[in-house]
Amino acid sequence: MLAASPKVTPPLHLETSNSKTLKTYYHSSSLNCFPPVKKFPFSSILPPNVLIRTSRTRKRKIKSNRLNKNSLDGFAIEAISRSDEPPQQPSAPYSIKIPVGDRHIIVETGHMGRQASAAVTVTDGETIIYTTVCLADVPSEPSDFFPLTVNYQERFSAAGRTSGGFFKREGKTKDHEVLICRLIDRPLRPTMLKGFYHETQILSWVLSYDGLHSPDSLAVTAAGIAVALSEVPISKTIAGVRIGLIGDKFVVNPTSKEMEDSKLDLLLAGTESAILMIEGYCDFLPEEKLLQAVEVGQNAVRTICKEVDSLVKKCGKPKMLDAITLPPPELYMLVEEIAGDKLVEALQIKNKIPRRKALSSLEANVLSILTEKGFISKTEAAVTNETVPDILEDEEEDEEVVVDGEVDEGDVHIKPVQKKTTPKLFSEVDVKLVFKEVSSKFLRRRIVEGGKRSDGRTPEELRLINSRSGLLPRAHGSALFTRGETQSLAVVTLGDKYMAQRIDNLVDDDEFKRFYLQYSFPPSCVGEVGRVGAPSRREIGHGMLAERALEPILPSEDDFPYSIRVESTITESNGSSSMASVCGGCLALQDAGVPVKSSIAGIAMGMVLDTKEFGGDGTPLILSDITGGEDASGDMDFKVAGNDDGITAFQMDIKVIGITLPVMRQALLQAKDGRKHILAEMSRCFPPPSKRLSNYAPIIHVMKVKADRVNLIIGSGGKKVKSIIEATGVESIEAQDNGIVKITARDLSSLEKSKAIITNLTTVPTVGDIFRNCEVKSIAPYGVFVEISPGREGLCHISELSADWLAKAEDAFKVGDRLDVKLIEVCIFFLYQINEKGQFRLSRRALLPEPDSENPDTKQRTNNLIKENSDSQKAHEKGKTEKTFTGLKDVETDNAEAPKSKPLEDKFVKGIVSSARDAPKTDKKNYKKSSSKPVINISRKNGSVVVNGEAKTG
């Protein structure tokens, strides 16, 4: 036996394929000598080009479930290159051109992001998308939801701009970026293989944008290519395209200018053989036209996928198929045996909450029984699918701790071995996953075999529908739409341009959205406790779908110059809450008095694809108006919104590898029948929508002035318009360069005041005009200054004050007196200086009769003439016609006894006549007839209206 020697700290060497020592680690083992180095048993978990050797001859197994520093105590380990495998080199740059529509896209890989699992740049025109895919080294806990996250960002530098906000760095993800993240995520998930739990992250950036080639469809294709090139195990390669309808021609990936004339905006993603996702918006497009567009898009996707598959064969990485872990098959049999008839009974419970509680209780019972029988592991080390590396150590040596040991993560990666299984020993997570799959299988079997769903409906039958309008008295419009256990409270708020939603675009200046719908899904709507805060990606996506579905029925801004906000709060949810938002939002718009073109309804369709598995004939079974359980257990979620004539919005997600055009045709036709039924039920809404503007909605008065006189309203630096707002109390005054002036007010009195001031500022009096009951504002030795209209004065010279001679003006008049004057001269020099004195020469004498002292009746006749002129003027003002647009027909309101005059040029957008009891009293003056005419005047709600009109609802 060798004599004992002092303690030695042998080195731990790690070498890569280039034979370069990366790190040397020291430990505290007491060794006499170092026998020849041998292969280390857990070398199989190292990268392909790394081999581990140990300095021990006597070995024992360490009971540990993972490889760490403590597991290496007492060893001198050396990692060297394997001589039988070539060294792995970084991917060489590779580029291909793929035909898409009438042009090519360029795909490049290997020149950027080489440390990612995969990185590609895709170029269309001068628009460039850069996308990366990365995986976590260690798998996360098993779950029924694939651990995939997608982030998409538009850099303003891509268009040579910076953010318009205070902070110039891109920060919070904008709503339209969230929508594109969802477009990328939804088609990828069905292609991910079950049992792969390594967290996967897809990052996508817009590096260059030319303003013509849209980045969203390009980002979907770039993500599909990057995942195909990476180590992520997928079943098929995906790609995405946009389809537009310009005239009668379908265009693949149209430019932004071409999309301005398109009747369709369809984004489609799929594989070489099937469709995975469609989303789009159109202007009442028939079902057959939509199917033609989908066929064009599928052909374009097929071409891209074929080219990508050839690229993957050349430079793609091997898939991590060995990392897939699935529950053992015998566990399915055990769960079905234990749950059995009780699971069938639980699935037949009609109401959602009792059914959910029954399934949860049954799941807990299955876990309890399996635990009692010893099928479920109670300790982590004995879990069926746990990593247990065989680490060898000298039996005579105690475990030692590595002191200051550190491995550079960027240099050496140790991968876990394939998980071993212990027969008939399962983890609790596996049992829960299997129970969910078994429940889904039983539900699908019940639908296919029995022809009945959980709530007893047939596949084509819809749930009970009822709706109410006007339930919120102070809101401008409100409706409560209920379909089964799904309920949406929709509220409409009207406002002026300043209520519009501002959007910071990538290329153009700030955009203002006149109409927007905001969807919220609180946890209480499903009877749960959860987070409440900023809207989730799901809420943003559902809100945009409902918004785009309702947008085609809105009137133009010229006909209805309000900004419109719709809020949809889901108060109950059991499937299809976004389509409930469409129905409730449509009723709320009608209740707010918005003259919509027609009513819109939405419905969600489901599907059981493989019916042969459950005794069917193999034909896919389409389900109308699916519930939440049918959505989770089914193979499709297809939302369609529109009316009897066509479709306005649609969105389809597939949970299987894809569907074909015949299946989609069947779903669209069945959805059309469902929409007709929902529209009929909406027409029975009680109480029905008022179809009149609320008394609490703002008044918007639109008038037209000469374009060259707009500056008179605005004033220097906006001082004049601000002074008008302060003086009259209106909310806002918007003066456009083309002469359109919009006044927004909360009451009629302030509106009339501001309207009168603006009319007088922009109207030039003509010689011969007569002004009645005008106030004397000031007196000078040479005459008096008379206010002929608010803010405008004219000079009545002392010689024009009376037919008789006056020595001084103050001898006959004082400030505050009122008199009638006639305009006899306009000074051109002062024409545009409204507040200057002396630009208008007035005469009172021109309205007086000639003096005739000999005939006493002359004065009386003159007075009678003046009175008749005054009465005629009043009757003229009283008998002015206002043309009222109520949505169904044009109605004229006038004084029956007074002669009808020409319509004014003013455009009334809101009814300004209320009941005599509520109407504000204004001091009306007999001004000269304006050259403007009213074009639109929509009456208020309740019975206090002159014209009982209704908004057009088609």
Side-chain angles (χ1 to χ4, degrees):
M1 179 179 292
L2 294 174
S5 59
K7 288 186 177 182
V8 180
T9 305
L12 172 66
H13 300 288
L14 297 177
E15 295 187 2
T16 57
S17 59
N18 57 7
S19 300
K20 178 181 177 182
T21 300
L22 301 177
K23 288 285 182 181
T24 300
Y25 301 92
Y26 296 90
H27 57 80
S28 56
S29 299
S30 298
L31 302 173
N32 293 329
C33 65
F34 292 96
V37 178
K38 294 185 178 182
K39 274 190 177 182
F40 200 58
F42 56 89
S43 60
S44 59
I45 67 174
L46 291 176
N49 62 330
V50 176
L51 181 67
I52 292 181
R53 293 193 179 186
T54 180
S55 60
R56 291 299 182 202
T57 55
R58 305 184 68 181
K59 313 172 186 68
R60 72 178 177 87
K61 182 180 295 185
I62 297 176
K63 293 182 179 180
S64 174
N65 63 346
R66 64 177 60 193
L67 183 64
N68 52 35
K69 291 189 292 186
N70 294 338
S71 303
L72 303 177
D73 289 350
F75 291 90
I77 302 176
E78 187 177 22
I80 62 175
S81 299
R82 282 184 174 176
S83 59
D84 56 341
E85 292 187 8
Q88 190 174 15
Q89 298 293 337
S91 300
Y94 199 88
S95 175
I96 62 170
K97 283 187 177 182
I98 301 178
V100 180
D102 58 355
R103 58 183 185 273
H104 289 76
I105 62 173
I106 301 174
V107 179
E108 297 176 283
T109 184
H111 69 292
M112 292 175 63
R114 290 176 295 178
Q115 295 188 32
S117 178
V120 298
T121 57
V122 181
T123 304
D124 185 9
E126 293 183 347
T127 297
I128 301 176
I129 304 292
Y130 170 57
T131 301
T132 63
V133 177
C134 287
L135 308 174
D137 294 331
V138 180
S140 57
E141 289 294 325
S143 171
D144 62 340
F145 197 73
F146 184 80
L148 171 67
T149 57
V150 179
N151 287 278
Y152 167 89
Q153 186 182 66
E154 294 179 349
R155 297 283 178 85
F156 282 94
S157 58
R161 294 182 56 215
T162 57
S163 174
F166 182 79
F167 297 101
K168 297 303 178 184
R169 183 183 182 124
E170 286 81 4
K172 177 180 176 294
T173 305
K174 294 180 281 293
D175 284 1
H176 73 279
E177 292 175 329
V178 169
L179 297 174
I180 297 176
C181 288
R182 287 171 54 84
L183 290 175
I184 297 172
D185 182 288
R186 282 159 39 208
L188 280 174
R189 285 191 181 275
T191 66
M192 303 294 182
L193 298 182
K194 289 184 178 181
F196 185 76
Y197 300 118
H198 289 259
E199 185 176 354
T200 305
Q201 185 180 49
I202 298 175
L203 303 178
S204 187
W205 296 271
V206 180
L207 300 184
S208 177
Y209 181 48
D210 57 9
L212 289 177
H213 304 93
S214 179
D216 49 4
S217 59
L218 203 62
V220 176
T221 299
I225 297 173
V227 171
L229 293 172
S230 72
E231 299 159 298
V232 180
I234 58 173
S235 56
K236 292 283 186 177
T237 301
I238 75 154
V241 294
R242 167 176 269 106
I243 304 298
L245 178 59
I246 302 169
D248 293 329
K249 181 182 179 182
F250 293 106
V251 180
V252 179
N253 280 2
T255 64
S256 57
K257 288 185 177 179
E258 290 174 330
M259 283 300 297
E260 293 176 359
D261 302 323
S262 177
K263 302 176 183 178
L264 169 69
D265 184 4
L266 164 65
L267 200 144
L268 180 145
T271 66
E272 182 181 348
S273 58
I275 303 163
L276 290 172
M277 183 272 296
I278 63 170
E279 180 171 323
Y281 315 98
C282 47
D283 192 5
F284 302 103
L285 199 68
E287 281 76 7
E288 288 300 325
K289 274 287 185 181
L290 178 58
L291 288 169
Q292 293 175 18
V294 171
E295 185 176 6
V296 172
Q298 175 62 19
N299 293 333
V301 166
R302 183 180 297 111
T303 301
I304 299 175
C305 290
K306 288 181 180 179
E307 295 291 337
V308 173
D309 288 339
S310 63
L311 175 65
V312 171
K313 292 179 182 178
K314 297 177 182 177
C315 53
K317 293 184 178 180
K319 299 300 180 182
M320 294 175 59
L321 298 176
D322 56 346
I324 295 177
T325 57
L326 295 172
E330 57 266 24
L331 183 56
Y332 289 86
M333 299 175 60
L334 285 172
V335 171
E336 289 188 23
E337 180 181 349
I338 296 172
D341 297 335
K342 293 183 179 180
L343 183 57
V344 176
E345 294 175 2
L347 291 174
Q348 292 178 1
I349 300 175
K350 292 185 177 182
N351 295 327
K352 175 182 177 179
I353 299 299
R355 182 171 63 250
R356 185 179 68 189
K357 290 182 178 180
L359 290 174
S360 298
S361 176
L362 183 57
E363 181 187 67
N365 186 40
V366 171
L367 286 169
S368 176
I369 293 175
L370 290 177
T371 302
E372 291 175 358
K373 292 183 177 181
F375 286 102
I376 295 182
S377 165
K378 296 182 179 180
T379 60
E380 183 182 3
V383 172
T384 302
N385 295 322
E386 192 63 47
T387 302
V388 186
D390 294 331
I391 301 179
L392 305 181
E393 187 182 277
D394 194 333
E395 293 179 353
E396 297 178 358
E397 296 289 343
D398 295 330
E399 296 181 14
E400 299 291 339
V401 177
V402 176
V403 179
D404 296 332
E406 181 180 358
V407 177
D408 190 343
E409 295 180 356
D411 299 327
V412 177
H413 296 279
I414 300 179
K415 297 181 180 179
V417 295
Q418 178 65 31
K419 297 180 180 181
K420 298 181 179 179
T421 60
T422 302
K424 295 187 178 181
L425 193 61
F426 316 114
S427 69
E428 184 175 333
V429 174
D430 283 341
V431 175
K432 291 182 177 181
L433 291 175
V434 170
F435 181 83
K436 182 176 181 180
E437 291 188 27
V438 171
S439 300
S440 174
K441 179 181 177 181
F442 275 48
L443 177 63
R444 294 154 66 94
R445 176 178 296 165
R446 168 179 167 79
I447 296 173
V448 175
E449 291 182 352
K452 295 288 184 180
R453 296 146 78 173
S454 294
D455 51 8
R457 290 182 293 147
T458 61
E460 298 83 9
E461 190 175 353
L462 276 65
R463 292 171 288 177
L464 294 177
I465 297 173
N466 63 76
S467 51
R468 296 172 53 197
S469 295
L471 65 162
L472 303 179
R474 295 304 293 257
H476 299 164
S478 59
L480 183 67
F481 179 84
T482 306
R483 178 166 50 198
E485 292 181 300
T486 299
Q487 191 177 72
S488 168
L489 174 63
V491 180
V492 171
T493 305
L494 304 176
D496 58 7
K497 177 183 177 181
Y498 299 97
M499 198 189 81
Q501 185 180 27
R502 177 179 173 181
I503 299 176
D504 203 2
N505 284 332
L506 184 62
V507 173
D508 300 328
D509 296 334
D510 294 341
E511 177 186 349
F512 291 88
K513 285 180 64 175
R514 170 178 166 251
F515 168 67
Y516 49 97
L517 188 148
Q518 295 170 335
Y519 166 102
S520 60
F521 191 90
S524 61
C525 70
V526 289
E528 296 178 353
V529 177
R531 179 189 68 89
V532 176
S536 64
R537 292 188 172 189
R538 178 182 179 277
E539 289 175 309
I540 293 173
H542 280 31
M544 178 56 67
L545 177 63
E547 175 185 313
R548 296 294 296 270
L550 293 172
E551 197 169 19
I553 65 172
L554 296 178
S556 65
E557 187 174 2
D558 292 337
D559 295 333
F560 194 77
Y562 283 94
S563 293
I564 306 169
R565 179 195 184 196
V566 180
E567 300 167 88
S568 175
T569 303
I570 304 304
T571 52
E572 294 182 31
S573 179
N574 187 15
S576 189
S577 59
S578 61
M579 295 297 96
S581 300
V582 173
C583 301
C586 180
L587 291 173
L589 287 170
Q590 295 177 9
D591 188 57
V594 180
V596 296
K597 299 175 183 177
S598 67
S599 294
I600 293 292
I603 187 172
M605 310 298 293
M607 179 182 66
V608 178
L609 184 61
D610 188 8
T611 57
K612 281 187 177 180
E613 180 184 358
F614 309 110
D617 58 358
T619 304
L621 182 61
I622 306 298
L623 307 177
S624 296
D625 186 23
I626 57 174
T627 62
E630 292 167 344
D631 183 7
S633 301
D635 297 326
M636 179 181 73
D637 181 13
F638 191 7
K639 304 179 180 72
V640 186
N643 61 6
D644 293 341
D645 298 328
I647 298 171
T648 58
F650 51 89
Q651 183 184 91
M652 183 184 71
D653 296 325
I654 299 298
K655 300 176 179 62
V656 290
I657 198 55
I659 65 171
T660 58
L661 282 173
V663 176
M664 186 178 295
R665 175 178 284 104
Q666 181 184 350
L668 282 173
L669 295 178
Q670 192 167 321
K672 184 176 183 179
D673 295 335
R675 289 201 315 274
K676 291 181 179 180
H677 175 78
I678 298 171
L679 289 170
E681 293 296 325
M682 289 171 60
S683 65
R684 301 185 183 98
C685 176
F686 185 82
S690 69
K691 301 177 183 177
R692 299 184 185 90
L693 292 172
S694 168
N695 288 331
Y696 303 107
I699 304 171
I700 297 183
H701 180 79
V702 182
M703 56 191 302
K704 174 74 174 178
V705 300
K706 291 184 178 180
D708 58 355
R709 304 190 68 79
V710 171
N711 63 319
L712 299 176
I713 303 172
I714 300 175
S716 177
K719 292 181 180 180
K720 186 61 182 178
V721 70
K722 291 178 182 177
S723 66
I724 298 174
I725 293 173
E726 293 176 0
T728 60
V730 297
E731 290 191 346
S732 65
I733 298 175
E734 177 194 353
Q736 302 176 6
D737 293 338
N738 59 359
I740 298 295
V741 179
K742 297 181 182 179
I743 308 170
T744 304
R746 286 288 174 183
D747 57 86
L748 177 61
S749 177
S750 59
L751 175 67
E752 290 291 345
K753 291 178 183 178
S754 60
K755 174 193 169 188
I757 293 175
I758 293 174
T759 301
N760 291 317
L761 286 174
T762 56
T763 302
V764 179
T766 59
V767 175
D769 290 343
I770 298 175
F771 301 92
R772 305 286 182 178
N773 200 27
C774 300
E775 182 181 359
V776 175
K777 287 294 186 179
S778 62
I779 300 177
Y782 48 84
V784 298
F785 287 95
V786 181
E787 186 182 46
I788 59 176
S789 61
R792 177 178 294 177
E793 298 178 13
L795 173 63
C796 187
H797 194 266
I798 191 172
S799 62
E800 297 292 338
L801 283 173
S802 175
D804 300 327
W805 179 84
L806 292 177
K808 295 180 180 179
E810 57 264 24
D811 293 342
F813 299 95
K814 62 180 182 297
V815 175
D817 286 349
R818 294 189 174 273
L819 64 157
D820 299 338
V821 292
K822 181 179 180 180
L823 181 61
I824 59 175
E825 185 179 350
V826 178
C827 181
I828 301 301
F829 178 75
F830 294 105
L831 186 60
Y832 294 102
Q833 301 180 22
I834 301 302
N835 290 324
E836 292 291 336
K837 297 180 180 180
Q839 67 270 38
F840 301 113
R841 289 193 60 189
L842 307 174
S843 174
R844 177 175 176 269
R845 188 182 67 176
L847 298 179
L848 296 177
E850 292 294 333
D852 187 1
S853 58
E854 295 181 358
N855 189 351
D857 295 333
T858 303
K859 186 175 182 180
Q860 182 64 34
R861 289 197 303 270
T862 302
N863 291 337
N864 292 338
L865 179 62
I866 294 174
K867 184 176 183 302
E868 290 175 2
N869 291 336
S870 177
D871 294 340
S872 175
Q873 178 70 14
K874 291 179 180 179
H876 174 75
E877 295 291 333
K878 187 176 181 181
K880 289 190 299 185
T881 300
E882 293 184 356
K883 194 174 184 181
T884 304
F885 284 72
T886 62
L888 292 179
K889 59 182 179 179
D890 299 343
V891 182
E892 293 184 351
T893 63
D894 62 282
N895 188 333
E897 297 180 357
K900 294 184 179 180
S901 61
K902 292 183 179 180
L904 301 176
E905 289 180 0
D906 294 341
K907 186 184 199 181
F908 280 94
V909 181
K910 177 152 187 195
I912 58 175
V913 182
S914 59
S915 64
R917 179 179 58 187
D918 299 331
K921 296 182 180 180
T922 58
D923 188 14
K924 295 185 178 180
K925 298 179 181 179
N926 292 328
Y927 298 121
K928 171 185 173 291
K929 184 180 73 172
S930 172
S931 60
S932 58
K933 65 177 181 178
V935 178
I936 298 179
N937 180 16
I938 301 177
S939 58
R940 290 179 181 270
K941 288 181 180 178
N942 69 39
S944 59
V945 293
V946 172
V947 179
N948 186 17
E950 295 184 353
K952 184 177 180 181
T953 59

